[in-house]
Amino acid sequence: GARYAIERRLAVEEQSYASDGDARPVDEKVGDEASALLARLKSVMWDGVGVVRTPSGLADASSELAAMKDEAEFIWDRAGGDWRAAAVRDAARSGLAVAEAASANDVSGGAHYVLHEEVRSEPVSDAALVGAAGGGFGSEDDEEEEALVAAVVL
């Protein structure tokens, strides 16, 4: 699947380096560095560019992703064709493009939602939810219940 496609593309890229007479240096640690960077990148994407987005979260994520893109390019330059380095390089480029596009788009669409008002709430336990819900959904307290659920979801 995806690994085969990456390895195939790498072979093409390596041929272009070879035709230019450039030999790519190989650093054995780059695979581990690439894997660690990819884990961080996934976390930044989930936290800042995930389903519920805020303008400040997108800005923070874009800044972090730009730095990660530079780090991924540096890893790739030392990789010597390691598929993990290629994967993190491409993921960093894509992640930054998605974050920048999301920042430029003020319209919520599909499953993604732009939360324009930053709401900070303290974590609420399940017991507090049950106690606060009182009569349950469908009761006279629907507005309060909906507000409580919205606060927990955020």
Side-chain angles (χ1 to χ4, degrees), residues 35-138:
S35 295
L37 180 59
L38 185 59
R40 288 186 10 237
L41 191 141
K42 287 178 180 180
S43 178
V44 168
M45 287 298 292
W46 180 257
D47 293 341
V49 194
V51 176
V52 178
R53 303 167 171 174
T54 62
S56 64
L58 287 168
D60 292 345
S62 293
S63 176
E64 287 183 65
L65 289 165
M68 287 180 175
K69 182 181 110 19
D70 292 343
E71 186 177 347
E73 297 286 350
F74 180 71
I75 290 171
W76 168 247
D77 288 341
R78 298 181 2 244
D82 186 283
W83 71 270
R84 293 170 294 183
V88 76
R89 176 198 63 183
D90 294 349
R93 289 174 177 173
S94 299
L96 180 58
V98 168
E100 289 174 345
S103 292
N105 184 9
D106 287 336
V107 178
S108 294
H112 296 92
Y113 180 77
V114 178
L115 181 65
H116 290 283
E117 293 181 19
E118 302 243 1
V119 178
R120 300 215 185 257
S121 63
E122 294 299 318
V124 178
S125 70
D126 290 341
L129 271 177
V130 171
F137 290 100

Side-chain angles (χ1 to χ4, degrees), residues 22-37:
D22 294 335
R24 293 182 61 94
V26 177
D27 184 338
E28 299 299 324
K29 293 187 248 177
V30 295
D32 293 337
E33 289 177 38
S35 295
L37 180 59

